[in-house]
Amino acid sequence: MLYAIWIEDVADSLPRRLKVREAHLNRLRGFVTEGKVKMAGPFPKVAGEDPTKTGFAGGLIVADFDSAEAAEQWLKEDPYYAEGVFKNYWIQPYIKVLPAD
């Protein structure tokens, strides 16, 4: 089943994100290769600005997991989690309607 993982960053998360960004992206790329990730990306703090300068507010990952618990365990193994980037997160079942595959 698909799950949406909504993530809220701590204040001033940018230095923490940048420190482990490549490890985070490499981990996600592996999950993409497995066909699990449907979409993933950050929420910039300021629309239209370079978020690597202005920062991030959080992010969203929609991926296939066996359960919400499996999604949470996966998230807790992420380099951003270990680095303290996340302030809060919410995991919800998700049904993709459009576009149809």
Side-chain angles (χ1 to χ4, degrees):
M1 164 137 222
L2 293 179
Y3 286 87
I5 304 172
W6 296 85
I7 300 159
E8 177 186 12
D9 279 16
V10 297
D12 301 318
S13 65
L14 185 57
R16 294 177 190 205
R17 277 179 169 265
L18 294 177
K19 183 177 178 183
V20 295
R21 182 173 188 265
E22 283 307 312
H24 165 77
L25 290 176
N26 285 336
R27 185 169 184 267
L28 270 173
R29 286 181 188 113
F31 218 47
V32 168
T33 300
E34 293 175 31
K36 300 284 189 179
V37 175
K38 303 309 174 192
M39 69 176 178
F43 299 129
K45 277 189 179 178
V46 181
E49 300 289 329
D50 179 357
T52 63
K53 298 195 180 6
T54 58
F56 297 91
L60 172 67
I61 300 168
V62 177
D64 189 11
F65 294 96
D66 292 334
S67 65
E69 294 79 17
E72 183 173 30
Q73 182 61 40
W74 180 85
L75 182 67
K76 287 182 174 182
E77 295 169 1
D78 190 85
Y80 280 174
Y81 185 92
E83 192 60 33
V85 170
F86 305 151
K87 176 180 178 181
N88 290 308
Y89 61 87
W90 300 266
I91 298 171
Q92 302 239 193
Y94 179 81
I95 299 172
K96 182 180 179 273
V97 175
L98 294 173
D101 290 332

